Amino acid sequence: MHPVGDIQHLQGLSAATAAERLRAEGFNELPATQRRSILAIAWGVIREPMFLLLVACGAIYLLLGDKEEALMLLGFVVVVMGITLYQERKTERALEALRDLTSPRASVIRDGRQTRIAGREVVRGDLLMIREGDRVPADAVLLRTTNFSVDESLLTGESVPVRKLATENQGPSEQRRPGGDNTPFVFSGTLVVQGQGLAEVLAIGLQTEIGRIGKALQAVAPEDTLLQQETGRLVRRLAIAGLSLCALVIVIYGLTRHDWLQGLLAGITLAMATLPEEFPVVLTIFLAMGAWRISRQNVLTRRMPAIETLGSATVLCTDKTGTLTINQMTLVRLAAKGTVCDPEQLGATPLPEAVHELVEFGILASQRDPFDPMEKAIHQVGRKFLARTEHLHDDWELIREYPLSRSLLALSHVWKSRTSDAYLIASKGAPEAIADLCHFTAAQQQELADRIDAMARDGLRVLGVARARFRQSALPSEQHDFPFEFMGLLGLADPVRPTVPAAIRECHAAGIRVVMITGDYPATAQNIARRIGLPAEHVISGPELSDMDDARLQQHIRDVCIFARVVPEQKLRIVQALKANGEVVAMTGDGVNDAPALKAAHIGIAMGGRGTDVARESSALVLLDDDFSSIVQAVRLGRRIFDNLRKAIAYIFAIHVPIAGMSLIPVLFQWPLVLLPVHILFLELIIDPACSTIFEAEAAEADVMRRPPRDPREPLFSRANVLRAVLQGLAVLAVVLAVFGLALQRGQSADEARTLSYTTLIIANLGLILSNRSRTRTILQTLRTPNRALWWVLGGATVFLTLVLSVPFLRGLFKFAALHPLDIAICLAAGLFSILLAELLKLRRR
């Protein structure tokens, strides 16, 4: 049987053929949740309470004979619907981009090269490379396998994995049905639980088994996050309060002024003023756009609650290889028979004879066309120094593989040459495992341990290599039965990613502890830790971890940042111990065995480049470039998103206080009405884009990564935040009410008083937007931070207000009177004065 990894002579489909089949046969996907059309979104808007209230107001104006008012409301309805449609489509597009990124990945051979593509781009005839932990992207027939088993419970309901064998002929003639051992067929959606294989795609999309039996993979239904649940409760309470006040206003107005139709209009106006319709919109937009923004930092959000939790993370548990380092291993030390050399320093000088066979058998113990970075590094040295010799053995036949196992961290390849009747066995793996295969004495083991420690202290990843000859016809079932001879040690280095030290410093400044979990030796881990800025004094090794009970581990884990020689199963214990200590844990992982730890962590982060599908499905985030600094950027964005969401919510609370107050107070005191439905609509034209666009686009605060993590139990609508917002709103209400009262006291008409107070309210509203952009910086300081959406909203509001005040026709529709320059100056001064309290509080906090 040919090894699965030997793909040098395989061509697969050409890119042109694949593109043609994709055009002809469509994407490899099943019917999913349909994208919402413009009409569907519009229908959703029509059913919104705010829209229904506007329709009711329009009907009342028609009954009162005010056709102009009714038509103007209708025009505003179109504008509001347009804004809503824009926001909804913006959210839809962000979610669609995320769904495209979420598409399962597939490893295919095209034009003779192995490449990873989106699973939906797999076409009939593609050659798939599938391995343990992958989801099979399409129905296929296996051409080669190694210890290959698949979980087909998705199709059969049987939880026991089935064994698969490669087909013995080129064309599949057997019946393609799931279930049963020793068949060559694999099916879309099933999970590889062991081994690896090479398969040819037979069917995609609706032609697959899962398509034929009528099952469809639906997009994950949006789940209510904690924020959405909290918002839902608040919206229900405010809606009940608003409707109650609405009924009260109608009754009071009808009884005191004996005009029930106008009373109904006043009640609806109050309902519009108090209806908290912005809250759900803001949450939806912030979470969707937040996920999209995080994806631009190479971090894919699979579960929305992760965005909430990111800002609360107190511990980041990370792998070393490929995350803190660049995962491009280089063979920098060869140690055999008393000779030590660095291939990088040899230049054109041949390899010393003592280490010649060490490299030779290191290559034989690797895949011929490897994907593993360490095996690539060994091959690179072989191509440089052995290419002109006969020691690469391209003509040897691989007879059998003995894979790595949990009990023995070594693998062996059994080879047969054309010139020898004996089998040649090459083995490589953890030096302790190789020493075990070679049956080292205690003295030899101690000598080997000293050599390993010396290499590990230099930050090297150490592998042992052994060889054996075997002449019996029947190969043994275990590697231990071969008479192995120890060849030497390979020392490999993986450079630290240049962005990591700065990212570690940023984490420390943000109160986030970074914990490195690696399978390397303690000395290697400590060397890396010192280079990236992690405390390297204390290390817990895998064997020490096994000897600790949970209570002792919880005690020791408080001041340990390095875990070495850890097997994947132990990651779960580390996560559970950190959680038991009250930490909010983010955890990276890439393998099948990492899935429990990823699921147990508050924020599971799967590796997108080298991670398995099982790890990705168990995680909340997927790190598309496997770079640690991307995680730190995601934490920064998570904090920014929560900060901005809190600013938007504070603004919504603050502005609704004076709107509701100016709708209710004139009714209670039998004053002329200040706010009519058209006035509320104009305010909504400012409020909606402000809370959903300006604040969402606001840059992060300067101290966002210099403050401790947020307490995850802290609600968005905390008493302090709500009280601060209500105080802002009350200050605005007091000023607007004072302007209105003074105008009436001076004998000005109701229209003049309404114009003065409403203009003041608009200016105060714009001031609230500017003030709430930052909780610490003043308005003058925030103006230095660019925000393009801010100027569009401020400019649009100013232009429209100018038109309403200066164009007689519009003044009549708004029931306004003409204002003199002095009046406008008074409104401007009063509006700015109303936000003075908020600005003074910032200075006091600073």
Side-chain angles (χ1 to χ4, degrees):
M1 182 185 69
H2 294 287
V4 171
D6 183 10
I7 64 169
Q8 287 178 319
H9 65 286
L10 297 174
Q11 283 298 310
L13 296 179
S14 67
T17 302
E20 179 58 35
R21 289 190 181 176
L22 192 63
R23 280 194 298 270
E25 301 178 11
F27 285 107
N28 174 38
E29 57 189 3
L30 299 173
T33 301
Q34 291 296 313
R35 170 176 162 177
R36 288 201 303 165
S37 66
I38 291 291
L39 289 176
I41 297 173
W43 177 242
V45 174
I46 290 170
R47 291 180 297 168
E48 286 290 325
M50 180 65 76
F51 183 88
L52 296 176
L53 289 172
L54 289 173
V55 172
C57 288
I60 293 170
Y61 275 123
L62 285 174
L63 288 173
L64 292 171
D66 292 337
K67 292 180 183 179
E68 292 85 357
E69 296 277 0
L71 288 172
M72 185 176 58
L73 279 181
L74 184 61
F76 271 122
V77 166
V78 173
V79 174
V80 170
M81 184 178 287
I83 292 173
T84 307
L85 289 175
Y86 168 76
Q87 291 171 337
E88 289 275 351
R89 283 303 301 140
K90 189 177 179 183
T91 304
E92 286 276 312
R93 283 194 295 270
L95 292 173
E96 284 163 16
L98 291 175
R99 278 197 287 271
D100 288 342
L101 283 172
T102 315
S103 174
R105 313 305 288 174
S107 184
V108 299
I109 299 171
R110 288 187 181 169
D111 293 317
R113 297 173 58 191
Q114 185 176 349
T115 183
R116 286 181 73 81
I117 62 173
R120 68 195 298 265
E121 296 173 7
V122 168
V123 298
R124 186 175 47 80
D126 260 329
L127 292 181
L128 296 173
M129 301 288 291
I130 42 182
R131 61 189 175 99
E132 179 179 326
D134 287 347
R135 287 276 179 199
V136 180
D139 285 8
V141 60
L142 288 163
L143 306 180
R144 302 176 185 175
T145 59
T146 302
N147 301 330
F148 201 76
S149 297
V150 181
D151 177 0
E152 295 184 342
S153 57
L154 176 72
L155 298 173
T156 64
E158 296 294 332
S159 58
V160 179
V162 292
R163 185 172 59 254
K164 298 288 181 178
L165 298 178
T167 184
E168 295 179 357
N169 48 49
Q170 294 302 312
S173 58
E174 302 95 332
Q175 187 179 6
R176 294 206 322 247
R177 298 295 299 172
D181 287 319
N182 301 328
T183 66
F185 298 106
V186 289
F187 301 95
S188 177
T190 59
L191 175 66
V192 182
V193 295
Q194 185 179 16
Q196 55 183 342
L198 174 71
E200 180 182 350
V201 175
L202 301 176
I204 62 168
L206 287 171
Q207 282 68 51
T208 60
E209 185 68 21
I210 195 172
R212 275 197 299 273
I213 63 177
K215 291 187 178 179
L217 296 177
Q218 299 292 331
V220 178
E223 51 188 286
D224 279 350
T225 67
L226 292 175
L227 283 181
Q228 287 169 327
Q229 293 169 16
E230 186 183 350
T231 302
R233 288 192 296 270
L234 180 70
V235 166
R236 284 192 295 273
R237 290 169 185 167
L238 290 178
I240 292 169
L243 291 174
S244 301
L245 285 173
C246 171
L248 183 64
V249 163
I250 294 171
V251 171
I252 292 174
Y253 199 101
L255 291 175
T256 57
R257 308 193 191 190
H258 309 292
D259 190 341
W260 291 94
L261 208 54
Q262 284 288 352
L264 184 60
L265 199 61
I268 291 175
T269 303
L270 180 60
M272 290 171 62
T274 56
L275 193 69
E277 50 100 20
E278 296 95 351
F279 288 135
V281 174
V282 165
L283 274 183
T284 303
I285 290 174
F286 268 67
L287 292 180
M289 293 300 295
W292 176 74
R293 288 186 189 280
I294 288 174
S295 75
R296 296 178 71 187
Q297 297 295 329
N298 291 312
V299 180
L300 172 63
T301 305
R302 294 190 71 254
R303 297 188 179 92
M304 288 297 183
I307 297 175
E308 300 174 33
T309 317
L310 269 173
S312 304
T314 59
V315 175
L316 289 180
C317 296
T318 176
D319 291 333
K320 176 182 76 67
T321 305
T323 308
L324 299 176
T325 60
I326 63 176
N327 201 21
Q328 292 180 1
M329 302 297 288
T330 307
L331 187 55
V332 296
R333 192 168 301 176
L334 302 170
K337 301 176 183 176
T339 299
V340 178
C341 74
D342 182 353
E344 297 276 294
Q345 304 298 323
L346 291 177
T349 307
L351 279 177
E353 193 61 34
V355 297
H356 197 284
E357 288 185 321
L358 173 62
V359 176
E360 179 184 348
F361 278 86
I363 292 171
L364 289 171
S366 305
Q367 296 288 352
R368 273 194 166 138
D369 187 14
F371 188 72
D372 180 84
M374 289 189 290
E375 293 188 351
K376 282 183 177 180
I378 299 169
H379 271 264
Q380 188 175 0
V381 171
R383 284 193 299 271
K384 180 178 179 181
F385 292 102
L386 305 182
R388 297 177 183 177
T389 70
E390 297 180 357
H391 294 86
L392 289 181
H393 308 300
D394 290 333
D395 59 337
W396 285 15
E397 181 184 2
L398 180 62
I399 304 301
R400 181 169 176 180
E401 292 186 38
Y402 291 87
L404 199 80
S405 66
R406 293 189 182 97
S407 58
L408 185 67
L409 298 176
L411 59 86
S412 298
H413 287 173
V414 180
W415 297 90
K416 191 71 176 289
S417 74
R418 294 178 180 176
T419 58
S420 172
D421 58 351
Y423 296 112
L424 282 166
I425 300 95
S427 183
K428 72 170 170 48
E432 304 99 321
I434 297 298
D436 184 21
L437 289 176
C438 295
H439 305 290
F440 269 24
T441 64
Q444 288 174 312
Q445 288 178 354
Q446 184 57 50
E447 182 187 353
L448 179 66
D450 293 341
R451 290 159 64 190
I452 292 167
D453 284 342
M455 295 173 73
R457 278 195 295 274
D458 292 334
L460 302 183
R461 181 81 175 267
V462 185
L463 293 177
V465 178
R467 71 175 179 185
R469 283 180 175 271
F470 194 76
R471 292 186 176 275
Q472 298 178 29
S473 57
L475 292 173
S477 59
E478 295 183 358
Q479 302 178 63
H480 266 293
D481 295 333
F482 292 114
F484 279 110
E485 171 193 355
F486 186 74
M487 300 297 296
L489 298 173
L490 305 172
L492 298 107
D494 185 7
V496 169
R497 288 182 184 269
T499 56
V500 167
I504 296 288
R505 289 194 296 273
E506 194 169 11
C507 284
H508 289 161
I512 302 170
R513 182 157 63 104
V514 178
V515 174
M516 180 170 67
I517 304 173
T518 177
D520 276 342
Y521 289 93
T524 306
Q526 286 175 301
N527 180 278
I528 295 291
R530 280 189 285 269
R531 284 159 61 189
I532 63 176
L534 279 184
E537 296 79 22
H538 304 294
V539 183
I540 294 178
S541 67
E544 291 171 342
L545 185 62
S546 299
D547 293 338
M548 290 183 184
D549 59 22
D550 291 343
R552 191 163 160 235
L553 177 59
Q554 289 173 33
Q555 182 181 355
H556 280 75
I557 208 170
R558 295 180 189 278
D559 58 356
V560 173
C561 293
I562 304 172
F563 290 84
R565 302 306 278 170
V566 169
V567 295
E569 290 84 352
Q570 292 177 319
K571 289 185 178 182
L572 179 60
R573 283 198 66 202
I574 294 171
V575 169
Q576 289 172 333
L578 288 167
K579 288 172 69 176
N581 285 344
E583 307 281 8
V584 178
V585 184
M587 175 79 176
T588 67
D590 59 0
V592 176
N593 290 331
D594 292 335
L598 290 172
K599 212 161 192 176
H602 296 99
I603 310 166
I605 305 171
M607 300 294 111
R610 67 180 191 274
T612 61
D613 286 346
V614 172
R616 284 191 285 271
E617 288 175 11
S618 301
S619 64
L621 301 174
V622 178
L623 198 59
L624 298 176
D625 60 357
D626 296 358
D627 188 345
F628 177 79
S629 62
S630 296
I631 305 175
V632 181
Q633 289 303 312
V635 171
R636 168 187 283 273
L637 276 171
R639 291 188 173 193
R640 168 191 160 179
I641 290 164
F642 196 88
D643 276 359
N644 289 348
L645 190 53
R646 192 151 49 185
K647 294 171 189 176
I649 295 296
Y651 164 70
I652 293 169
F653 265 116
I655 189 57
H656 274 276
V657 170
I659 294 174
M662 294 307 293
S663 299
L664 178 63
I665 293 172
V667 175
L668 296 178
F669 289 94
Q670 298 188 33
W671 294 345
L673 294 181
V674 176
L675 298 179
L676 302 173
V678 66
H679 302 137
I680 304 293
L681 264 176
F682 180 31
L683 282 163
E684 287 295 330
L685 291 178
I686 302 172
I687 295 169
D688 282 354
C691 61
S692 61
T693 304
I694 293 176
F695 290 110
E696 194 281 325
E698 195 62 39
E701 295 280 354
D703 68 338
V704 70
M705 292 297 280
R706 295 199 302 268
R707 64 170 98 119
R710 178 179 58 85
D711 186 343
R713 294 167 297 182
E714 178 190 349
L716 179 64
F717 306 105
S718 66
R719 287 184 180 178
N721 290 331
V722 172
L723 181 61
R724 192 179 299 117
V726 170
L727 285 174
Q728 274 188 316
L730 288 173
V732 172
L733 174 61
V735 171
V736 173
L737 202 57
V739 169
F740 182 70
L742 287 172
L744 291 177
Q745 192 176 16
R746 286 167 51 196
Q748 292 179 279
S749 68
D751 285 354
E752 287 176 316
R754 180 182 297 112
T755 309
L756 285 166
S757 57
Y758 189 75
T759 304
T760 303
L761 179 57
I762 293 292
I763 294 168
N765 182 20
L766 300 181
L768 283 174
I769 295 171
L770 292 169
S771 180
N772 280 284
R773 287 183 67 200
S774 174
R775 297 177 64 189
T776 55
R777 293 176 296 153
T778 63
I779 290 177
L780 292 176
Q781 290 169 326
T782 58
L783 288 176
R784 300 171 194 163
T785 306
N787 188 325
R788 192 165 56 180
L790 172 73
W791 299 113
W792 278 105
V793 174
L794 294 187
T798 303
V799 168
F800 196 84
L801 181 61
T802 303
L803 289 173
V804 168
L805 293 176
S806 57
V807 177
F809 173 72
L810 293 176
R811 277 206 308 268
L813 288 177
F814 273 76
K815 302 281 194 296
F816 281 171
L819 290 184
H820 303 291
L822 180 61
D823 294 327
I824 294 173
I826 291 171
C827 293
L828 188 62
L832 294 176
F833 178 76
S834 68
I835 59 166
L836 187 62
L837 174 64
E839 294 299 289
L840 290 174
L841 285 174
K842 289 181 190 178
L843 294 173
R844 182 175 177 273
R845 279 200 299 272
R846 289 169 57 185

